[in-house]
Amino acid sequence: MKNRILIIDDDFDFVDAVKTLLEANGYDVSLAYDGHDGFQKIKSESPELIILDMMMTYKTEGADIAKTISQDAATKDIPVLLITGAKKDMNFPFDFEPDENNLPVKAVLEKPIKPEELLKMVTTYIRQTGDKHRILVEGLKSLVDKWSGKKGKLIMILHEIQNHYGYVPRAISFELSRLLDTPLARIYEVITFYNFFKLVPPGKHLISVCMGTACYLKGAQKVLNELKKMLKIEEGQTTKDGLFHLQVVRCLGCCGLAPVIMIDDKVFAKVDKDKIVGIITDYREKQDEK
Ligand code: FES
């Protein structure tokens, strides 16, 4: 399967030249001549890279589209090469410094662009599809075949993916969108509608804070607040180091020990602010020893 690149630019000559260049180098190229059409195609075609003109119907349209891409869960990982007539005239409407970690804009290229420079940028930033990726696609194909023609196949496939990985990785959603010929936005609609599906890897340890009546009356809210503060996450989130995932539950069935938290399958009774600090510190120290 060829890597797909979407060019969004109202400069017909530039689009023609770049399309020819990229196709000659083995890419599948899709075109859009304005921002609106461009964003629809981003969502429906899931390209591996976007070449985006800065100034189309207005001066900062490209930057606005890049911002929209970065705010949408279905598109935020797609790398963007921003094309401009003159870098110095750019006036970004949002805080932006192109670098490798700043998604989605990876580089700003000034016209006229040398073909070799453009190709270098494309090969540097296009979402990687090496052997690992081919294996992943093969696995997905057999999953899609297994559920082919069956009712509710998208949900069943997503269930299998979630059970395997513990979440639905973005790269898999992208490929699934192609294999099922279903817009990526539709796949994300399903993922975000059902609580069961997760978009981020689960933490190594699952912390369940009981907010049932008995625990609530004995100060569970304070316990939850302390955990959020210590871990710097909200309910439903995972810590940056991937060590803890925080969730709230209703009654763990040991109300006499309220307030209660559970970490994985271990129950901690009558917890308070000080105990929480000790418990979390213990887990972190054990992790450091490994
Ligand atoms: S209310 Fe918390 S264990 Fe029952």
Side-chain angles (χ1 to χ4, degrees), residues 210 212-215 251-255:
C210 179
T213 309
C215 289
C251 194
L252 287 165
C254 41
C255 310

Side-chain angles (χ1 to χ4, degrees), residues 211-228:
M211 291 293 274
T213 309
C215 289
Y216 186 79
L217 292 174
K218 295 269 185 154
Q221 186 64 55
K222 279 187 189 160
V223 170
L224 179 62
N225 292 345
E226 186 57 27
L227 277 165
K228 286 182 184 176

Side-chain angles (χ1 to χ4, degrees), residues 232-251:
K232 298 192 177 70
I233 52 173
E234 294 296 316
E235 299 162 43
Q237 294 182 342
T238 301
T239 50
K240 270 193 182 156
D241 59 6
L243 196 55
F244 298 106
H245 184 87
L246 183 63
Q247 71 172 8
V248 166
V249 294
R250 302 280 157 205
C251 194

Side-chain angles (χ1 to χ4, degrees), residues 117-220:
E117 187 194 354
L118 183 63
L119 280 176
K120 190 176 164 206
M121 288 294 159
V122 167
T123 47
T124 302
Y125 292 114
I126 196 159
R127 284 193 288 134
Q128 295 307 316
T129 54
D131 285 350
K132 218 170 142 190
H133 186 81
R134 267 194 295 282
I135 294 166
L136 181 147
V137 172
E138 288 310 312
L140 268 182
K141 271 185 192 155
S142 47
L143 203 53
V144 168
D145 288 347
K146 179 179 157 188
W147 292 101
S148 169
K150 302 204 172 107
K151 217 176 153 195
K153 67 178 175 189
L154 175 57
I155 290 188
M156 297 320 293
I157 292 170
L158 289 173
H159 264 282
E160 290 213 25
I161 294 167
Q162 165 93 20
N163 287 340
H164 182 74
Y165 294 97
Y167 74 114
V168 184
R170 278 182 216 292
I172 292 195
S173 297
F174 277 117
E175 291 311 326
L176 195 58
S177 146
R178 288 190 185 179
L179 292 170
L180 292 175
D181 198 18
T182 300
L184 188 61
R186 171 67 192 138
I187 293 178
Y188 271 79
E189 247 174 52
V190 173
I191 295 173
T192 50
F193 183 79
Y194 295 100
N195 271 345
F196 172 76
F197 296 121
K198 306 272 181 278
L199 283 167
V200 291
K204 186 172 176 193
H205 299 293
L206 175 64
I207 305 179
S208 307
V209 180
C210 179
M211 291 293 274
T213 309
C215 289
Y216 186 79
L217 292 174
K218 295 269 185 154

